[in-house]
Amino acid sequence: MEILAIPAGPFLVNTLLVWDKESKCAAIVDPGDKKSIEEIEDIVSRKDLNVKYIINTHEHPDHIAANAWAKLKFPKAELIMHEEAAKHLNFWVESEIGELAGAEYSPSPDETLKDGDELKLGSFNFKIIHSPGHSPGSIVLFSPKANVTIVGDLIFKGSIGRYDLPMSNRHELKRSVVKVLNQLNPDTLIIPGHGPRTTVKEEINTNPFIREFIG
């Protein structure tokens, strides 16, 4: 599995291009702005990839800002997200945060996900872990074969997602962090929605919020 992260938009969302080198099946995660999608379009063309999915880790405007543009560029790709994210998909677009993110109204998803679902990308499967707390529709995508987890804004290197926003909740966030970490091994690579990559072991050992959560 190959994963390319492109920091996108004013909030530097990690817009991801994920692909299986053998089958050339690909997914875009969290379209952050038009520029990142156009960069991905060029890579897809050069590598002859087939974009099957456009995935939102959650419904906040910086992570859905260019959903419409991604669907325009890759019309055969399915737009997918958790069913709770779909309920609040465009809630933030006209807010101050939405305007700062440059978010455009997103089309409705082609498919919704729930906890425990699996998403096949070539020879890899992503297990869907519902992880509310930062937002109601937050999900984690975990590939056991690749030993990689895409966590959105649940966990960052040295920090965790905000829980002071509308529809966020600290208790739920704590429960989600523990739930996710209990399913991963220490060497699992964590790719957050903002900032650098890390590992489960590093965050358990050094992240003060996670150390508090797990006791």
Side-chain angles (χ1 to χ4, degrees):
M1 180 185 291
E2 295 287 333
I3 303 179
L4 173 70
I6 303 171
F11 295 99
L12 298 178
V13 170
N14 283 330
T15 294
L16 307 178
L17 176 62
V18 183
W19 72 95
D20 174 16
K21 290 190 290 185
E22 293 183 4
S23 69
K24 296 188 178 293
C25 289
I28 298 168
V29 181
D30 290 344
D33 65 4
K34 290 182 177 180
K35 183 179 178 182
S36 63
I37 298 305
E38 288 166 356
E39 185 174 338
I40 285 172
E41 184 182 29
D42 179 62
I43 296 167
V44 165
S45 178
R46 287 191 284 108
K47 293 185 178 292
D48 192 29
L49 303 178
N50 172 29
V51 178
K52 291 188 64 177
Y53 307 115
I54 301 162
I55 306 168
N56 295 136
T57 61
H58 62 293
E59 65 272 29
H60 285 166
D62 47 336
H63 292 258
I64 69 156
N67 275 0
W69 191 247
K71 281 289 286 184
L72 181 66
K73 293 293 184 178
F74 302 100
K76 294 182 179 179
E78 290 185 83
L79 176 61
I80 57 179
M81 64 194 70
H82 191 269
E83 54 194 7
E84 287 296 321
K87 291 179 184 178
H88 310 289
L89 181 56
N90 288 304
F91 174 83
W92 293 87
V93 171
E94 292 188 2
S95 69
E96 182 179 355
I97 295 175
E99 291 179 3
L100 287 171
E104 297 181 354
Y105 275 95
S106 170
S108 298
D110 299 298
E111 181 184 351
T112 59
L113 302 165
K114 61 183 183 300
D115 189 62
D117 283 349
E118 290 199 355
L119 194 64
K120 184 174 179 59
L121 188 68
S123 63
F124 296 91
N125 283 346
F126 280 106
K127 180 181 179 182
I128 305 302
I129 307 173
H130 185 212
S131 52
H134 178 65
S135 77
S138 292
I139 57 171
V140 164
L141 299 96
F142 172 49
S143 170
K145 180 179 177 180
N147 201 25
V148 169
T149 183
I150 297 169
V151 299
D153 287 1
L154 179 69
I155 298 169
F156 304 119
K157 184 178 176 67
S159 189
I160 56 172
R162 290 178 62 174
Y163 48 82
D164 60 341
L165 300 168
M167 294 184 283
S168 66
N169 181 283
R170 186 181 189 277
H171 176 72
E172 283 193 332
L173 184 68
K174 176 181 178 179
R175 186 168 54 190
S176 293
V177 167
V178 173
K179 171 185 172 182
V180 168
L181 291 179
N182 281 340
Q183 299 183 53
L184 309 177
N185 65 66
D187 295 324
T188 302
L189 181 67
I190 294 175
I191 302 180
H194 305 263
R197 302 177 184 194
T198 184
T199 65
V200 170
K201 181 179 180 180
E202 181 174 351
E203 295 315 299
I204 288 175
N205 288 338
T206 66
N207 188 320
F209 301 96
I210 289 176
R211 287 173 67 85
E212 176 191 348
F213 285 175
I214 64 176

